[in-house]
Amino acid sequence: MDYSQILNLFIFILPAYLANSSPVLLGGGQSMDFKRYFSDGKRILGDGKTWRGFFGGVAVGTISGFLLGFPLLAFLLSVGTLVGDTAGSFIKRRMNIGRGKQSLILDQLTFLFVALIFAYPLLPEYVDLYGVLFLLVFTYIMHVLSNIVAHRMGWKKVPW
Ligand code: CTP
Ligand code: MG
């Protein structure tokens, strides 16, 4: 794989990264579970999932796709990203992992996985299987590294 292929992969997945990270800034207000509890006595999703964050993330990812020249793909990736992020929180609550507590696989990879599933019909136009595998490994490493950096900088209490 040469540099231009890696750059293309990065551009392809950028809407998903933007959709995944923008809710931190755009979120707030009504929580997606309307503060309701599941049958196990825990919150369905928790206060970390808000409607503003959901639709803000979808909007930012989709708008980036308009600028990059692939709005439909970006829209599918963005909706998939936020659905995956929401599903990840649902699973974390069922596993008794509190809001904001880390779950390495669920936090770093579910969003990408579900984004790729949503964009599945369009994927062959943009990436091959090696590209998808590269993105999964690359995303995981990037998340782990950025958490370590955020810890060193004093932005996060724990390095994961
Ligand atoms: N956020 C939001 N709405 C969403 C997703 C995220 O408002 N649909 C905001 C929340 O302020 C959240 C922050 O972005 O705290 C970081 O997102 P994330 O790490 O996904 O949430 P956590 O707080 O870690 O909660 P969870 O344990 O459920 O993942
Ligand atoms: Mg989190």
Side-chain angles (χ1 to χ4, degrees):
M1 218 181 304
D2 62 35
Y3 288 121
S4 79
Q5 282 173 296
I6 293 176
L7 182 65
N8 280 335
L9 273 176
F10 183 72
I11 292 170
F12 158 80
I13 208 62
L14 192 59
Y17 285 179
L18 291 172
N20 190 51
S21 51
S22 50
V24 184
L25 300 174
L26 301 175
Q30 184 65 263
S31 54
M32 292 177 75
D33 63 5
F34 300 98
K35 298 207 177 277
R36 280 195 296 243
Y37 290 79
F38 198 64
S39 54
D40 58 8
K42 313 275 176 216
R43 282 285 293 275
I44 300 175
L45 297 171
D47 286 328
K49 302 296 109 133
T50 67
W51 288 108
R52 252 177 37 206
F54 187 98
F55 290 112
V58 171
V60 168
T62 305
I63 290 167
S64 76
F66 270 99
L67 302 175
L68 294 167
F70 48 84
L72 178 60
L73 172 70
F75 173 71
L76 295 174
L77 286 172
S78 302
V79 175
T81 291
L82 271 301
V83 169
D85 175 63
T86 309
S89 291
F90 179 78
I91 297 168
K92 280 169 74 178
R93 298 302 89 80
R94 304 294 71 76
M95 292 169 69
N96 205 13
I97 302 171
R99 177 255 168 120
K101 295 276 181 304
Q102 302 295 309
S103 163
L104 275 185
I105 295 291
L106 286 172
D107 284 341
Q108 333 287 26
L109 286 181
T110 10
F111 85 88
L112 188 58
F113 224 80
V114 180
L116 291 171
I117 291 170
F118 271 60
Y120 190 72
L122 296 182
L123 282 192
E125 284 178 44
Y126 297 91
V127 279
D128 58 14
L129 183 61
Y130 291 109
V132 168
L133 292 175
F134 178 86
L135 282 174
L136 290 171
V137 174
F138 177 78
T139 301
Y140 192 76
I141 293 172
M142 285 297 288
H143 270 91
V144 172
L145 286 182
S146 61
N147 283 332
I148 291 172
V149 169
H151 173 65
R152 290 271 166 86
M153 304 293 274
W155 299 331
K156 288 188 73 205
K157 285 199 188 110
V158 288
W160 55 80

